[in-house]
Amino acid sequence: MGKIQAIRGMNDILPDQSPVWQYVESTVRKVLAQYGYQEIRMPVVEQTDLFKRSIGEVTDIVEKEMYTFDDRNGDSLTLRPEGTAGCVRAAEQHGLLFNQTRRLWYAGPMFRHERPQKGRYRQFHQIGVECFGMVGPDIDAELLILTARLWQELGLSEHTRLEINSIGSSDARREFRAALVSYLSDYTDQLDDDSKRRLETNPLRILDSKDPRTQEILQGAPVLDQYLDDESREHFQALREMLDAAGVTYTVNTGLVRGLDYYGKTVFEWVTDSLGAQGTVCAGGRYDGLVEQLGGKPTVAVGFAMGLERLILLLETLDLIPASVNNDADVYVTAMGDSAVAPALKLAELLRNELPAATIISHCGGGSFKSQMKKADKSGAKYALVLGENEIASGTVGVKPLRTSDDQQDVELTTVASVLKNLLS
Ligand code: ATP
Ligand code: MG
C-alpha cells in the first residue's frame, strides 16, 4: 500500500517554517491590539446557504470553488471559503451588533477549490478584520492606516501599493450594470466563455476577467465612476482626504470591483509587484447591506482580509525576515552518564526559572559526548552545558560556547544562571 499524502493544494507548515508564521501573526496581532480590535473565533464549517446568500450565487467562489458536502443528517455544509460571512453570522447570532460599534478580527484557514499554484492554494490562511456600526469614511480610513502601519512594521511599505475605488450604492451599480450590458452586447461573440455567461448572470464580474480580448473590449466600456450616487461620491472624497491627511498614498483604480457580491461604496486592495499574478496581499471594502441581507437589523460594515501565504512569500522573496526569527535554542544542557541525567534535568529547570525568556533544551536519550555535542550544535544553542560525574562531584558545570572559539569555562553550579544571564544579554 502506498503512503497517504496530503491533499493537493493543502500545505503542511513544518517546524522550519513556523517561526516565520508566528512572526507575521504576532506582528499583525500586535498592530490590531494597538487599535483596539478584538479577536473572534468562528467554526471552519458553516451552512452552505450562509455563503450562497452572502458571497453571491454567481461568483467564482460559490460557482466553482467551495468544498460543500452533506453531513450525516443530510444538511449541506461548506468549509468556509472566507471569513466575513461567518463573522457576521456569529456577531449577529450573539447580539454583538445591535446598537453598538465593533472592531473584530479573526485568523485561520480558508478553503477554496482553485488550481494550486504559487500563492494560490486550496487551504490557505487569512487574517480578517471586520468593523460594524460605523457609517462614515473615518473607519474605512482607519483600516487603511492600520494596514499601512502593518506594512511599516514588516518592512513592506516600499513593496506594497494601495488601490481604492468606490463601487457606489446598489442603485448606482444597477444603472451601471445596464449600461455595461448594453455596451458588451455588441461584442458577445468575442468575450471569453465565463464573461459570456456572466453577461446574463453577473455582468460586473466581467470587469475582473483576466482574458486579454475581454480586457481590450472593456477599454471602451462605460466606467462605474460616472454612475456613482452623490452619497458614495462624498464618502469616497472624504476618505481620500483622510488618507491624504494621514500620509497614506493610494491610486484610484476605477476598474476595481472585487469578486464578491456584498461590497458597496469603498473597495480596496493592497498589491505587490513582487509575486507575479498572485499580487493581492490584502483586500476588502464596505458591505453596508450584508448584515440585513443575512436577516439581521441593518448594520453598516467594512472589513478586509489578508492572505498569510502571500504575505510570507513576499517577505521571503524580499529577504525581509529578521534574523532573530528562527528555532534556535539558547542553551543545550547535556548529561554525560546515567548519574548526570536527573541533576541535568534539575539544572535545566533552575535555568528556566532564572531565565524565563531563554530556550533551554535538555538533552534526552543518552549517547556519547560527541553525539550530544552534535545535537547541541544542531539546536542552534549559543552555549552547551556539560554536566558529568566529575562536575557533579565538584559542584560545577562546564559552559561551552558553541558559536565562538572561546574556551569552555567551569562555573560553580550556584552561579551558572547569572553567568548565562550575562552571556546571553
Ligand atoms: P484573487 O484575486 O487573488 O483570487 P480574491 O479576490 O479571490 O483574490 P479574497 O477573497 O478577497 O481574494 O481574499 C483576500 C486575500 O486572501 C487575497 O488577497 C489573497 O491574499 C488571499 N487569497 C485568496 N485566495 C487565495 C488562495 N487560493 N490561496 C492563497 N491566498 C488566497
Ligand atoms: Mg480568487
Side-chain angles (χ1 to χ4, degrees):
M1 264 199 321
K3 282 189 192 156
I4 295 174
Q5 304 272 322
I7 295 164
R8 201 164 108 82
M10 302 203 179
N11 301 315
D12 300 304
I13 297 162
L14 301 177
D16 265 358
Q17 269 285 307
S18 50
V20 178
W21 282 76
Q22 289 167 359
Y23 162 65
V24 174
E25 287 163 355
S26 63
T27 307
V28 179
R29 243 186 240 125
K30 187 184 76 187
V31 171
L32 288 168
Q34 285 188 292
Y35 288 79
Y37 286 62
Q38 299 172 338
E39 185 181 7
I40 181 168
R41 302 188 186 200
M42 301 86 67
V44 292
V45 186
E46 298 273 359
Q47 306 228 16
T48 302
D49 276 348
L50 176 67
F51 302 115
K52 287 195 178 167
R53 278 166 56 185
S54 55
I55 299 167
E57 299 258 9
V58 194
T59 55
D60 275 351
I61 293 180
V62 172
E63 277 183 336
K64 49 192 186 192
E65 296 175 358
M66 293 206 303
Y67 281 90
T68 297
F69 60 98
D70 286 345
D71 81 352
R72 289 173 192 275
N73 308 326
D75 297 329
S76 180
L77 306 184
T78 295
L79 297 185
R80 64 181 183 194
E82 53 99 60
T84 303
C87 183
V88 169
R89 197 265 315 134
E92 181 57 29
Q93 182 175 337
H94 300 286
L96 304 188
L97 302 184
F98 183 60
N99 254 347
Q100 44 200 317
T101 59
R102 290 278 176 185
R103 291 174 167 89
L104 303 177
W105 70 271
Y106 50 82
M110 307 292 161
F111 304 85
R112 297 184 194 176
H113 197 275
E114 303 192 71
R115 194 171 70 76
Q117 54 196 291
K118 189 179 164 207
R120 196 177 289 288
Y121 311 100
R122 289 181 173 173
Q123 174 174 334
F124 61 99
H125 297 78
Q126 287 183 339
I127 293 184
V129 169
E130 318 288 352
C131 298
F132 298 99
M134 291 163 271
V135 74
D138 45 1
I139 187 66
D140 307 20
E142 176 178 288
L143 285 178
L144 295 168
I145 292 167
L146 177 161
T147 31
R149 178 182 290 272
L150 176 63
W151 308 144
Q152 180 77 36
E153 291 277 323
L154 292 170
L156 287 174
S157 301
E158 306 295 304
H159 307 279
T160 49
R161 60 194 156 73
L162 174 60
E163 296 190 353
I164 60 175
N165 192 25
S166 177
I167 58 173
S169 65
S170 50
D171 285 344
R173 286 197 301 286
R174 194 171 309 123
E175 273 182 52
F176 168 66
R177 197 176 298 134
L180 183 67
V181 169
S182 120
Y183 168 82
L184 288 174
S185 301
D186 294 342
Y187 302 90
T188 313
D189 46 336
Q190 296 176 51
L191 295 174
D192 61 278
D193 289 343
D194 271 346
S195 298
K196 234 176 253 171
R197 209 160 34 83
R198 290 192 168 151
L199 203 50
E200 312 283 327
T201 54
N202 199 343
L204 250 57
R205 285 295 95 73
I206 299 175
L207 301 182
D208 276 340
S209 167
K210 306 245 158 46
D211 181 77
R213 179 59 191 138
T214 299
Q215 274 305 326
E216 211 172 77
I217 294 165
L218 285 171
Q219 297 286 309
V223 182
L224 211 164
D225 179 57
Q226 298 154 352
Y227 293 83
L228 279 194
D229 51 297
D230 288 344
E231 196 190 321
S232 296
R233 205 179 285 283
E234 279 159 27
H235 186 101
F236 194 53
Q237 183 54 34
L239 169 62
R240 294 184 57 169
E241 284 163 18
M242 288 174 203
L243 292 177
D244 292 338
V248 176
T249 49
Y250 57 84
T251 54
V252 176
N253 173 358
T254 53
L256 186 65
V257 290
R258 308 279 309 117
L260 302 86
D261 270 359
Y262 49 62
Y263 288 116
K265 288 189 178 160
T266 312
V267 292
F268 57 84
E269 289 190 358
W270 286 95
V271 274
T272 177
D273 297 321
S274 307
L275 289 181
Q278 273 62 251
T280 306
V281 289
C282 174
R286 197 161 255 285
Y287 53 96
D288 291 342
L290 181 60
V291 177
E292 189 179 12
Q293 195 182 310
L294 290 176
K297 294 224 169 54
T299 305
V300 297
V302 57
F304 67 74
M306 56 191 145
L308 289 183
E309 280 81 359
R310 287 188 200 177
L311 214 47
I312 287 168
L313 256 173
L314 182 59
L315 290 168
E316 286 174 341
T317 305
L318 299 168
D319 213 5
L320 288 173
I321 313 281
S324 58
V325 174
N326 57 51
N327 280 320
D328 289 351
D330 295 299
V331 178
Y332 193 96
V333 183
T334 65
M336 303 302 170
D338 288 346
S339 61
V341 172
L345 287 172
K346 196 174 156 199
L347 172 62
E349 277 312 292
L350 180 126
L351 294 176
R352 292 183 189 112
N353 291 339
E354 299 293 317
L355 303 159
T359 298
I360 318 275
I361 297 184
S362 291
H363 179 84
C364 292
S368 66
F369 179 82
K370 205 174 148 196
S371 79
Q372 293 198 29
M373 278 313 181
K374 225 176 177 170
K375 288 218 169 86
D377 186 51
K378 225 181 141 194
S379 75
K382 294 166 198 79
Y383 297 92
L385 297 192
V386 182
L387 195 67
E389 261 172 51
N390 296 342
E391 285 80 11
I392 290 169
S394 62
T396 61
V397 58
V399 177
K400 185 174 168 54
L402 297 175
R403 309 297 147 194
T404 64
S405 51
D406 297 348
D407 287 337
Q408 175 174 327
Q409 41 171 321
D410 289 325
V411 175
E412 299 281 319
L413 264 176
T414 48
T415 60
V416 65
S418 63
V419 169
L420 283 171
K421 214 177 268 179
N422 279 330
L423 288 171
L424 291 171
S425 68

PDB file of all heavy atoms in Angstrom, residues 388-396:
ATOM      1  N   GLY A 388      28.671  16.105  33.973  1.00  0.00           N
ATOM      2  CA  GLY A 388      29.005  14.682  34.109  1.00  0.00           C
ATOM      3  C   GLY A 388      29.343  14.375  35.547  1.00  0.00           C
ATOM      4  O   GLY A 388      29.196  15.232  36.423  1.00  0.00           O
ATOM      5  N   GLU A 389      29.819  13.164  35.789  1.00  0.00           N
ATOM      6  CA  GLU A 389      30.155  12.736  37.156  1.00  0.00           C
ATOM      7  C   GLU A 389      31.118  13.699  37.843  1.00  0.00           C
ATOM      8  O   GLU A 389      30.908  14.091  38.984  1.00  0.00           O
ATOM      9  CB  GLU A 389      30.814  11.359  37.115  1.00  0.00           C
ATOM     10  CG  GLU A 389      29.866  10.234  37.439  1.00  0.00           C
ATOM     11  CD  GLU A 389      30.538   8.884  37.193  1.00  0.00           C
ATOM     12  OE1 GLU A 389      31.653   8.692  37.699  1.00  0.00           O
ATOM     13  OE2 GLU A 389      29.936   8.071  36.456  1.00  0.00           O
ATOM     14  N   ASN A 390      32.190  14.075  37.111  1.00  0.00           N
ATOM     15  CA  ASN A 390      33.205  14.958  37.705  1.00  0.00           C
ATOM     16  C   ASN A 390      32.618  16.289  38.117  1.00  0.00           C
ATOM     17  O   ASN A 390      32.893  16.801  39.204  1.00  0.00           O
ATOM     18  CB  ASN A 390      34.355  15.221  36.716  1.00  0.00           C
ATOM     19  CG  ASN A 390      35.103  13.947  36.386  1.00  0.00           C
ATOM     20  OD1 ASN A 390      34.995  12.963  37.128  1.00  0.00           O
ATOM     21  ND2 ASN A 390      35.835  13.963  35.274  1.00  0.00           N
ATOM     22  N   GLU A 391      31.830  16.872  37.236  1.00  0.00           N
ATOM     23  CA  GLU A 391      31.225  18.174  37.541  1.00  0.00           C
ATOM     24  C   GLU A 391      30.319  18.067  38.768  1.00  0.00           C
ATOM     25  O   GLU A 391      30.360  18.930  39.653  1.00  0.00           O
ATOM     26  CB  GLU A 391      30.417  18.692  36.339  1.00  0.00           C
ATOM     27  CG  GLU A 391      31.249  19.234  35.188  1.00  0.00           C
ATOM     28  CD  GLU A 391      31.823  18.140  34.300  1.00  0.00           C
ATOM     29  OE1 GLU A 391      31.404  16.979  34.456  1.00  0.00           O
ATOM     30  OE2 GLU A 391      32.707  18.443  33.469  1.00  0.00           O
ATOM     31  N   ILE A 392      29.529  16.977  38.783  1.00  0.00           N
ATOM     32  CA  ILE A 392      28.607  16.819  39.914  1.00  0.00           C
ATOM     33  C   ILE A 392      29.403  16.701  41.215  1.00  0.00           C
ATOM     34  O   ILE A 392      29.075  17.344  42.219  1.00  0.00           O
ATOM     35  CB  ILE A 392      27.688  15.598  39.694  1.00  0.00           C
ATOM     36  CG1 ILE A 392      26.700  15.927  38.561  1.00  0.00           C
ATOM     37  CG2 ILE A 392      26.931  15.236  40.973  1.00  0.00           C
ATOM     38  CD1 ILE A 392      25.922  14.744  38.053  1.00  0.00           C
ATOM     39  N   ALA A 393      30.491  15.940  41.143  1.00  0.00           N
ATOM     40  CA  ALA A 393      31.331  15.757  42.335  1.00  0.00           C
ATOM     41  C   ALA A 393      31.894  17.093  42.831  1.00  0.00           C
ATOM     42  O   ALA A 393      31.967  17.346  44.036  1.00  0.00           O
ATOM     43  CB  ALA A 393      32.457  14.785  42.025  1.00  0.00           C
ATOM     44  N   SER A 394      32.268  17.971  41.881  1.00  0.00           N
ATOM     45  CA  SER A 394      32.893  19.241  42.298  1.00  0.00           C
ATOM     46  C   SER A 394      31.895  20.395  42.371  1.00  0.00           C
ATOM     47  O   SER A 394      32.292  21.546  42.601  1.00  0.00           O
ATOM     48  CB  SER A 394      34.029  19.596  41.333  1.00  0.00           C
ATOM     49  OG  SER A 394      33.499  19.779  40.041  1.00  0.00           O
ATOM     50  N   GLY A 395      30.611  20.110  42.143  1.00  0.00           N
ATOM     51  CA  GLY A 395      29.600  21.167  42.224  1.00  0.00           C
ATOM     52  C   GLY A 395      29.748  22.222  41.141  1.00  0.00           C
ATOM     53  O   GLY A 395      29.433  23.395  41.343  1.00  0.00           O
ATOM     54  N   THR A 396      30.229  21.824  39.976  1.00  0.00           N
ATOM     55  CA  THR A 396      30.403  22.779  38.878  1.00  0.00           C
ATOM     56  C   THR A 396      29.668  22.289  37.634  1.00  0.00           C
ATOM     57  O   THR A 396      29.092  21.194  37.617  1.00  0.00           O
ATOM     58  CB  THR A 396      31.895  22.944  38.511  1.00  0.00           C
ATOM     59  OG1 THR A 396      32.386  21.667  38.082  1.00  0.00           O
ATOM     60  CG2 THR A 396      32.709  23.453  39.691  1.00  0.00           C
TER      61      THR A 396
END
